[in-house]
Every structure is written in C-alpha cells, then in structure tokens.
Amino acid sequence: MPSRILIVEDEIFVASEIEQIVAEMGHAPIAIAADRASALRHASNTDIALVDLNLRDGPTGLDIGKILAQTHGVSVVYLTANPSQLGDGVPGTIGVVSKPVAERDLRDIVNYAVARRAAADAAPPRRLKLFSWSGGNAIHT
C-alpha cells in the first residue's frame, strides 16, 4: 500500500522535485506545505513527512515535525541545509539529512521511513543521521 507523504518545503522547485520522486516510487504525495498552517492542515492524512526547517513563515520546521510526530503519529525525516539547528534531535522523529539530497539518497530515505513505519528491519541510509531515541544513535556520514 502506498504511503501518504507530506512535503514540507517552501522552495517550490525543490518541493516539486521531491514530489515527483515520491510519486515515481508509487507513493502518494498528498501536499506541498510551505508553512506551519498548511503542514498541520494535512497532518491527519499523512503517514510520512519530509520536513525542511526554514519555511515561508520562518524557522517553524522543527516544531512542525515535533507536532506531526508526537501528536499525529507521523514518521518524520528532516531535510535541511542546517542540521545543526536540530541539536540532538526531536523526540519521536526519525532523523535528519543534510540538503542538497541526491535522488538516490531521497529514495533510500523514503524507503527507510516506510520500512520503519511498517516495523520492518531496515538499515538506515548512509546519509541519514538517526536521532538516538529513534532506534539507533549512530551517525551515518
């Protein structure tokens, strides 16, 4: 069954590319959200969210990911050029990948998030830094 994936990104060209890749993988890109209000509007229909930190309404991505994961049970992976802004991470979320993200890496990240959501064993992608409470504390570089 395809996963419903929310893309939280305010750069439309980046968001559109992610949307296309997600669709090619057979998943359902449910929306592109450029700010907190639009991201949270789609929370109840989302399985996985790919979340940037700095959005149209400022640095709201950290809180968006936290709310999606902790309140709505969404599997969250942060995609950001500023991973250090997350410190040790956000409880309930999977991890972070530094942008830019190559298509192959994005596919690996989505596949990993899908597997984690299904409670299947999966090795984390090489570029994904897992948060310690998300099932592993190794940093993959």
Side-chain angles (χ1 to χ4, degrees), residues 3-4 46-48 72-75 94 112-120:
S3 292
R4 299 168 300 172
T46 300
D47 298 318
I48 296 168
H72 300 280
V74 174
S75 299
I94 295 174
Y112 179 72
V114 168
R116 282 279 305 269
R117 190 160 180 84

Side-chain angles (χ1 to χ4, degrees), residues 2-137:
S3 292
R4 299 168 300 172
I5 300 179
L6 175 63
I7 301 153
V8 184
E9 169 65 64
D10 65 334
E11 294 182 38
I12 191 61
F13 294 115
V14 172
S16 296
E17 185 175 347
I18 293 170
E19 180 182 47
Q20 180 181 347
I21 292 166
V22 164
E24 286 173 0
M25 293 177 70
H27 298 295
I30 60 164
I32 293 173
D35 57 38
R36 178 184 171 109
S38 57
L40 296 181
R41 196 168 31 251
H42 297 285
S44 63
N45 296 322
T46 300
D47 298 318
I48 296 168
L50 305 173
V51 181
D52 190 11
L53 292 182
N54 298 303
L55 301 165
R56 185 170 47 204
D57 55 354
T60 58
L62 188 146
D63 286 334
I64 292 168
K66 184 185 225 178
I67 293 166
L68 289 173
Q70 295 176 5
T71 305
H72 300 280
V74 174
S75 299
V76 174
V77 175
Y78 291 99
L79 305 178
T80 180
N82 305 296
S84 62
Q85 289 180 337
L86 291 167
D88 291 330
V90 179
T93 63
I94 295 174
V96 62
V97 175
S98 185
K99 288 189 338 190
V101 180
E103 179 178 341
R104 188 192 79 199
D105 292 328
L106 180 63
R107 288 175 179 271
D108 290 346
I109 290 158
V110 169
N111 285 334
Y112 179 72
V114 168
R116 282 279 305 269
R117 190 160 180 84
D121 283 337
R126 147 185 91 73
R127 290 205 48 220
L128 178 64
K129 175 190 174 192
L130 293 178
F131 296 144
S132 59
W133 43 77
S134 69
N137 59 7

